[in-house]
């Protein structure tokens, strides 16, 4: 089944206001009208409005990096799904390994966030992935299955376009140690099989599963040419126009 590649930049807690604006403009100059791939930028919350404003009317989508599950109220420092929706953003990254491992988010919390995001018709980019210890002890498939099944609990997925999954092995994030194309493909195939069991062939055949973890212009094309890899979630290499654009060009 044909799935358009999605190239997503996760800027994490990086860039100044002017750097974020400049990077957005450079990405638009290259991919603003590109129809062969989809491009998503996920800046820090504080730049969401600006990036969305600059990208409005182009083919560049804009998403947040996380959100809290309550709609509004006394939750100092948090951001809700309705707020993100009101900025005309389309995506929200959820369950990123840094949220799980640095900020202690559990599968249950990620599931609540998933529901909040679905209720606003935003598209979650649900991140899953094992640590190096979990891989070495052979638990990698169990861990990813739990993250996926728990994360999607109670989600009535009727359209594959309403979800993006990102497989990001924790040991490959920001380390320069990229998963081999075979390692990544093996897990992506497993995730697609799980989606087939839970949601059927129509959804599992169309849902996009991104790979994330030390993706660079030099390794992108081999990874993204694997059968079940439908794009990339890019951290470090998304912060510079030449490397982010280089990844997009490498897979055109
Ligand atoms: P990285 O990060 O590309 O810097 O490894 C990927 C991610 O955390 O999404």
């Amino acid at each position: 089944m044909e799935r358009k590649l999605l190239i997503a930049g996760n800027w994490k807690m990086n860039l100044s206001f002017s750097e974020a604006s400049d990077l957005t403009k450079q990405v638009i100059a290259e991919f603003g009208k590109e129809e062969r791939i989809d491009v998503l930028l996920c800046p820090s919350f504080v730049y969401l409005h600006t990036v969305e404003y600059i990208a409005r009317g182009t083919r560049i989508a804009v998403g947040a990096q996380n959100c809290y599950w309550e709609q509004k109220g006394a939750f100092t420092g948090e951001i809700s799904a309705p707020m993100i929706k009101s900025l005309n953003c389309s995506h929200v990254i959820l369950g990123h390994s840094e949220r799980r491992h640095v900020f202690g988010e559990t599968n249950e919390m990620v599931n609540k966030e998933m529901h909040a995001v679905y209720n606003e018709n935003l598209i979650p980019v649900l991140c899953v992935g094992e640590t190096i210890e979990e891989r070495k002890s052979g638990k990698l498939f169990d861990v990813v299955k739990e993250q996926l099944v728990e994360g999607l609990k109670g989600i009535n997925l009727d359209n594959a376009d309403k979800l993006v999954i990102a497989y990001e092995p924790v040991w490959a994030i920001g380390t320069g140690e990229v998963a081999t194309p075979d390692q990544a493909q093996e897990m992506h195939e497993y995730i697609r099989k799980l989606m087939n069991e839970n949601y059927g062939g129509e959804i599992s055949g169309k849902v996009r599963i991104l790979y994330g973890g030390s993706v660079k212009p030099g390794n992108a094309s081999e990874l993204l040419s694997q059968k079940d890899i439908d794009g990339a979630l890019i951290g470090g290499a998304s912060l510079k126009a030449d490397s982010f654009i280089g990844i997009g060009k490498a897979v055109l």
Side-chain angles (χ1 to χ4, degrees), residues 141-142 145 185-194:
F141 295 105
D142 290 345
K145 180 177 182 176
Q185 166 56 27
E186 184 184 31
M187 185 59 85
H188 281 235
E189 193 176 338
Y190 176 72
I191 292 170
R192 204 173 297 286
K193 187 176 100 238
L194 285 176

Side-chain angles (χ1 to χ4, degrees), residues 210-229:
L210 314 184
Y211 167 79
S214 298
V215 176
K216 303 204 162 38
N219 59 28
S221 111
E222 204 187 353
L223 281 161
L224 273 58
S225 61
Q226 300 299 307
K227 187 164 122 316
D228 289 297
I229 303 185

Side-chain angles (χ1 to χ4, degrees), residues 24 48 63 111 118 138 155 173 190-191 216:
T24 306
L48 271 179
N111 180 247
Y118 260 85
I155 297 287
I173 296 178
Y190 176 72
I191 292 170
K216 303 204 162 38

Side-chain angles (χ1 to χ4, degrees), residues 10 12 96-98 168 172-176 212-215 233-237:
N10 173 12
K12 308 191 181 183
H96 188 277
S97 88
E98 285 141 24
E168 300 204 300
I173 296 178
T175 59
S214 298
V215 176
L233 183 55
I234 304 148

Side-chain angles (χ1 to χ4, degrees), residues 31-188:
F31 297 128
K33 294 191 178 128
E34 179 57 65
E35 296 195 344
R36 289 170 292 174
I37 54 171
D38 289 332
V39 176
L40 168 67
L41 298 179
C42 298
S44 154
F45 290 134
V46 291
Y47 308 140
L48 271 179
H49 173 64
T50 303
V51 171
E52 190 281 326
Y53 187 79
I54 298 171
R56 203 172 293 172
T58 75
R59 290 205 71 259
I60 309 299
V62 181
Q65 298 174 12
N66 195 39
C67 85
Y68 189 52
W69 57 79
E70 294 288 352
Q71 291 208 322
K72 61 178 179 168
F75 304 103
T76 302
E78 290 300 324
I79 306 281
S80 73
M83 288 175 172
I84 296 165
K85 183 74 182 183
S86 75
L87 290 176
N88 297 315
C89 295
S90 52
H91 292 69
V92 185
I93 299 172
L94 292 177
H96 188 277
S97 88
E98 285 141 24
R99 298 303 315 172
R100 295 177 189 270
H101 296 284
V102 182
F103 299 100
E105 288 195 19
T106 62
N107 285 328
E108 199 188 341
M109 292 159 82
V110 174
N111 180 247
K112 287 187 192 171
E113 296 161 2
M114 287 285 293
H115 281 273
V117 162
Y118 260 85
N119 288 341
E120 296 303 320
N121 277 320
L122 290 160
I123 303 167
V125 180
L126 173 60
C127 300
V128 297
E130 82 287 356
T131 63
I132 193 64
E133 294 77 25
E134 289 161 346
R135 174 164 280 264
K136 281 187 178 151
S137 64
K139 290 197 206 124
L140 66 166
F141 295 105
D142 290 345
V143 168
V144 167
K145 180 177 182 176
E146 199 180 346
Q147 290 172 337
L148 198 72
V149 171
E150 295 292 314
L152 287 167
K153 204 179 216 167
I155 297 287
N156 181 18
L157 185 63
D158 57 4
N159 182 336
D161 290 337
K162 292 185 183 167
L163 173 69
V164 175
I165 298 169
Y167 169 57
E168 300 204 300
V170 180
W171 46 273
I173 296 178
T175 59
E177 194 188 337
V178 64
T180 66
D182 286 350
Q183 284 173 324
Q185 166 56 27
E186 184 184 31
M187 185 59 85
H188 281 235

